[in-house]
Amino acid sequence: MKKIGLFFGYTGGNTEDVAHIIAKNFDENDIDVLDLTKVSLLKLDEYKQYIFGVSTVGADSWKDASTKNHWDNLFMLLDKIDLKGKKAAIFGLGNQVLYPDHFCEDMGLLYEKLVERGVKIIGHWPGDKYEFTDSRAFVKNQFIGLPIDQDNYPEDTEELVKEWTDLLKTKFK
Ligand SMILES: Cc1cc2nc3c(=O)[nH]c(=O)nc-3n(C[C@H](O)[C@H](O)[C@H](O)COP(=O)(O)O)c2cc1C
């Protein structure tokens, strides 16, 4: 298998924790775990297949219209490298009880950007395991990646990750 770059985004801790749970499901030689907010262009370009993880935390971080706007930084990097034909899977942290109308919403932002840049998205996931009403990450009746709710259902995470990574292994080359 070509090496996977697993990049976790801005995080209060949960996204990073889940990134490491995901990595444990792969052979350690097949995956690198990296902090997306500190990554260089060169490093991001090094991989042909990716897993990206982002939490949805609203205006307090990623969408903050300040100089520390993580989305702007990330999108600028993604615009600078040739991503056409590369593969990516996305996981997202959210809270379906407090934010049922925007559950794991920001996975959708990243998805839209990656699709625009020619990336092939793998690892779509059914919505029936979650109680939510709407999400930008729910497209054509499925999530565009794996939603994880560590706030309410942390006991489900290991099993969800196992099932999802089993699916990814059939899609990554
Ligand atoms: C200020 C704030 C806003 C949030 N907004 C959302 C939201 O819109 N949708 C959602 O699904 N979860 C939302 N959450 C829940 C977080 O995504 C969740 O707690 C997640 O596990 C945080 O991951 P992190 O520790 O990696 O940042 C919000 C949390 C905070 C603190």
Side-chain angles (χ1 to χ4, degrees), residues 33-160:
V33 180
L34 302 126
D35 183 339
L36 193 49
T37 61
K38 295 187 184 136
V39 77
S40 69
L41 196 61
L42 212 62
K43 195 74 194 162
L44 194 61
D45 200 19
E46 196 177 300
Y47 301 90
K48 294 221 166 13
Q49 37 197 28
Y50 302 95
I51 300 174
F52 291 107
V54 289
S55 60
T56 302
V57 283
D60 283 4
S61 61
W62 287 80
K63 285 185 204 151
D64 190 349
S66 72
T67 48
K68 276 189 74 188
N69 188 323
H70 296 288
W71 286 117
D72 281 354
N73 292 342
L74 173 59
F75 286 5
M76 192 186 65
L77 291 181
L78 293 175
D79 277 336
K80 284 187 178 159
I81 55 180
D82 184 9
L83 291 164
K84 209 164 181 4
K86 292 190 177 186
K87 282 185 186 168
I90 304 171
F91 70 95
L93 273 287
N95 182 324
Q96 63 202 289
V97 176
L98 290 181
Y99 305 95
D101 295 341
H102 302 280
F103 180 46
C104 288
E105 181 104 341
D106 287 359
M107 282 202 297
L109 284 180
L110 182 57
Y111 166 78
E112 288 162 22
K113 182 68 184 176
L114 292 172
V115 168
E116 177 197 310
R117 300 288 296 122
V119 176
K120 179 171 171 35
I121 304 297
I122 60 167
H124 291 74
W125 200 244
D128 57 8
K129 294 174 195 286
Y130 309 89
E131 285 163 35
F132 72 105
T133 42
D134 202 6
S135 172
R136 191 166 174 168
F138 198 66
V139 178
K140 293 189 188 150
N141 235 14
Q142 57 183 350
F143 281 105
I144 51 73
L146 178 72
I148 293 286
D149 186 343
Q150 283 295 84
D151 296 354
N152 299 295
Y153 302 105
E155 67 279 9
D156 293 349
T157 300
E158 296 267 355
E159 187 55 34
L160 282 169

